[in-house]
Amino acid sequence: MHCPFCRHPDSRVVDSRTSDDGATIRRRRQCPECGRRFSTAETASLSVLKRSGVSEPFSRAKVISGVRKACQGRPVSDDQLAMLAQRVEEDIRSSGQAEIDAHDVGLAILQPLQELDLVAYMRFASVYQSFDSLSDFEAAITRLREESGGPHEAAQDGSHGPVRTEL
C-alpha cells in the first residue's frame, strides 16, 4: 500500500475493524517514511463470468433489474427487490468463490424470488431453467403446489378467489 502523502511503497497497519455490514474491513495505516496516518477500506471482490467469457464485478443493481422484469405488474416493492438482491449476494459470497458463472447467479435468485412472489418466480424460472414446453411449466407448478401443501393455495394478494395471471 503506497502512502498517499509521500508515495512510499510500504505502510504499517495500526488498527483493523470490520464495518457494520461485515463486508468491508477498515484499516488505519501509518507510513514508516513520513509518519502520517491514513485509512483504507478493503472489500473482497466478487466477479461474474458471462457467457461471452468476459468477467465483471457482481452488481446488485443488475440482479434487481433482471428480477424487476419478472415482477412487472406484481405487488413487489423496491425495498423487497433490494432485500432479495442483498440476500443473493450474501448467498453467493458465502460459497467462498471469488468468481461465479452468470447462470449460477440466476439460479441463486430462484429461491428468494419463490418466497417473494410465485408468479414472478415462474416467469424468472422459465428463463433460467430453460422451459421448452407447457409440460415444463406444468411440472414446475405441480412441484410448487406440493411444496405449499395443497392443490388450491390461497392467492398471495390475500383474496380467497381464483386469481388469473398471465405468464
Side-chain angles (χ1 to χ4, degrees):
M1 168 61 52
H2 289 281
C3 173
F5 305 108
C6 70
R7 303 300 300 157
H8 186 69
D10 198 14
S11 64
R12 180 174 73 87
V13 175
V14 177
D15 183 39
S16 292
R17 296 180 187 179
T18 58
S19 65
D20 294 334
D21 63 0
T24 306
I25 298 174
R26 182 182 177 274
R27 297 197 195 278
R28 193 75 180 133
R29 297 176 176 271
Q30 184 172 12
C31 175
E33 186 69 22
C34 68
R36 295 181 75 177
R37 291 185 175 197
F38 57 98
S39 295
T40 59
E42 300 173 15
T43 59
S45 65
L46 178 60
S47 298
V48 177
L49 182 63
K50 310 286 269 182
R51 277 186 275 177
S52 65
V54 174
S55 184
E56 63 181 44
F58 177 85
S59 168
R60 286 187 191 180
K62 283 193 172 189
V63 171
I64 291 170
S65 173
V67 174
R68 181 173 277 129
K69 292 172 189 165
C71 293
Q72 196 168 18
R74 301 297 303 156
V76 177
S77 71
D78 287 342
D79 287 343
Q80 289 172 308
L81 290 177
M83 291 298 293
L84 181 140
Q86 179 181 343
R87 182 173 165 195
V88 168
E89 182 177 4
E90 288 170 356
D91 289 348
I92 291 170
R93 285 190 184 278
S94 71
S95 74
Q97 295 176 305
E99 186 171 67
I100 187 163
D101 188 70
H103 185 75
D104 292 337
V105 174
L107 294 176
I109 292 170
L110 290 174
Q111 184 61 42
L113 186 56
Q114 180 180 343
E115 294 167 10
L116 182 62
D117 186 277
L118 291 176
V119 173
Y121 165 79
M122 287 298 296
R123 291 173 176 168
F124 198 86
S126 69
V127 174
Y128 278 90
Q129 293 179 334
S130 302
F131 288 9
D132 293 324
S133 66
L134 289 176
S135 62
D136 292 336
F137 280 96
E138 289 170 345
I141 290 169
T142 300
R143 184 184 53 76
L144 288 173
R145 285 187 173 144
E146 288 171 357
E147 288 176 4
S148 70
H152 302 290
E153 67 277 352
Q156 287 184 330
D157 63 359
S159 67
H160 296 289
V163 175
R164 183 173 177 267
T165 58
E166 295 181 31
L167 293 177

